[in-house]
Amino acid sequence: MRAKAYAKINLSLDIVGKREDGYHLLEMVMQTIDLYDEITIEKQEKGITIACNKPYVPRDERNLAYKAAKLFMEKYNISQGVNINIKKNIPVSAGLAGGSTDGAAVLKIMNKMFNINASDDELMKIGLQLGADVPYCIKGGTALCEGIGEKVTELKRFKDKIVVIVKPPFGISTKSVYEAFCLDKVRNHPNTKELIKSIEADDLNNVVKNMKNLLENVTLRKHKILINIKEEMIRLGALGSMMSGSGPTIFAFFEDMQKAQKCFEKMKERYEEVHITRTI
């Protein structure tokens, strides 16, 4: 069985508190984009094996697709094994939920493959054990995600908007970004209510005005190149640009495909991982 595992961008990322166990309490607006990994699963006699077209992707317990399969098999007492093939197109360690969306796709495929018929809510509970973005990746679309990512409220779909994505040649550890983040120093939080209103009105200009990611405070300070990418994309006609998740991927919205194409070509001269895509 096969499925597409879609990437996400953050239209906003707010941190509103911290739990006693150290987890940050979030308020994020997430958006699926038409950039995806392809996940194919076949049954096998026993165990979990992973194949991937990218040599740097781990093929053991470190891989979220592996972890997802293991959790699913334990929860539903499945004794048969699975072979998971990942065709990776989403940049790795990029703030685009590449690993999380693969894990979510594995849960959804295995749910059908083994006729478990678990609800999305049940799959989201399993997914939360894998990471904060996995519950959202099970739902997809446009959504408000709260708590540590477990509370997902679907919003009106903000679809068919042109997006250019630039991933510079390094990854970012989400954990280290959150550890370096200082909530006490934040003066301006995202206006999430206004952002949601703009999404519901399908008003791209106002969405761009209200985009804000508090983790830029950490990642952009460490990597000045990201500021340069943001500024260059604006110069090339973007309505607005922002970092997704904990970074380092920068995305920008464009009103027309010609400008997006020009930006894509310019960025491609310097960066290997550049994509033109759309919100879905």
Side-chain angles (χ1 to χ4, degrees):
M1 285 183 95
R2 184 172 294 164
K4 291 174 178 176
Y6 290 95
K8 64 83 187 168
I9 52 174
N10 290 76
L11 300 182
S12 74
L13 193 158
D14 194 5
I15 296 167
V16 294
K18 201 172 180 183
R19 297 199 318 194
E20 278 176 24
D21 59 9
Y23 275 101
H24 288 83
L25 293 168
L26 307 166
E27 197 174 82
M28 308 179 285
V29 177
M30 310 268 251
Q31 174 63 53
T32 305
I33 53 171
D34 196 12
L35 170 66
Y36 54 85
D37 294 343
E38 291 167 64
I39 311 290
T40 310
I41 303 183
E42 291 167 342
K43 290 179 182 176
Q44 60 186 23
E45 209 172 310
K46 60 178 195 309
I48 300 163
T49 51
I50 302 252
C52 185
N53 62 326
K54 303 284 188 194
Y56 48 78
V57 170
R59 288 157 169 72
D60 54 19
E61 294 88 350
R62 290 169 298 163
N63 191 307
L64 277 179
Y66 186 108
K67 284 182 186 171
K70 190 166 182 268
L71 268 179
F72 194 87
M73 288 155 85
E74 283 167 1
K75 178 154 177 71
Y76 297 108
N77 300 315
I78 293 162
S79 54
Q80 243 182 319
V82 287
N83 173 256
I84 302 166
N85 188 293
I86 303 169
K87 189 184 173 204
K88 201 106 192 87
N89 301 307
I90 302 169
V92 173
S93 299
L96 298 170
S100 298
T101 193
D102 292 353
V106 167
L107 294 177
K108 290 202 278 190
I109 295 171
M110 288 181 72
N111 192 34
K112 275 190 194 152
M113 187 177 250
F114 292 99
N115 297 313
I116 301 296
N117 300 319
S119 67
D120 276 357
D121 284 351
E122 283 175 70
L123 294 180
M124 285 162 78
K125 275 183 192 140
I126 302 169
L128 190 61
Q129 295 172 62
L130 300 165
D133 286 343
V134 182
Y136 162 74
C137 290
I138 285 163
K139 284 273 191 205
T142 313
L144 171 67
C145 301
E146 296 169 284
I148 57 166
E150 82 285 3
K151 195 179 165 203
V152 180
T153 308
E154 289 179 71
L155 302 171
K156 185 187 166 193
R157 289 229 168 188
F158 193 60
K159 54 183 196 234
D160 292 328
K161 307 295 181 277
I162 303 163
V163 182
V164 175
I165 283 165
V166 180
K167 156 75 169 47
F170 55 89
I172 296 275
S173 151
T174 299
K175 189 170 176 279
S176 67
V177 172
Y178 276 103
E179 279 168 0
F181 179 80
C182 188
L183 188 56
D184 303 341
K185 289 185 178 166
V186 176
R187 296 288 163 264
N188 296 309
H189 285 267
N191 188 342
T192 308
K193 282 193 178 117
E194 191 56 40
L195 177 63
I196 291 169
K197 243 195 264 178
S198 307
I199 288 166
E200 282 167 356
D202 203 37
D203 182 344
L204 179 58
N205 282 296
N206 226 31
V207 164
V208 166
K209 265 185 215 154
N210 286 286
M211 292 193 314
K212 193 173 180 63
N213 178 351
L214 289 189
L215 294 182
E216 283 191 338
N217 297 347
V218 177
T219 309
L220 264 56
R221 213 172 24 240
K222 278 191 188 161
H223 304 280
K224 298 285 187 273
I225 187 173
L226 303 181
I227 298 169
N228 299 342
I229 293 170
K230 282 181 74 171
E231 288 170 351
E232 173 113 13
M233 289 172 104
I234 299 288
R235 269 201 304 277
L236 290 165
L239 293 174
S241 73
M242 192 171 83
M243 184 180 83
S244 184
S246 52
T249 298
I250 302 291
F251 70 89
F253 279 110
F254 286 82
E255 252 174 331
D256 69 83
M257 191 51 90
Q258 241 177 337
K259 283 178 182 168
Q261 190 66 41
K262 189 182 161 196
C263 177
F264 170 81
E265 284 161 14
K266 269 281 185 216
M267 289 298 176
K268 202 75 180 143
E269 288 169 14
R270 261 170 298 162
Y271 305 101
E272 204 179 311
E273 294 188 283
V274 184
H275 301 269
I276 293 187
T277 183
R278 282 182 184 269
T279 59
I280 53 174

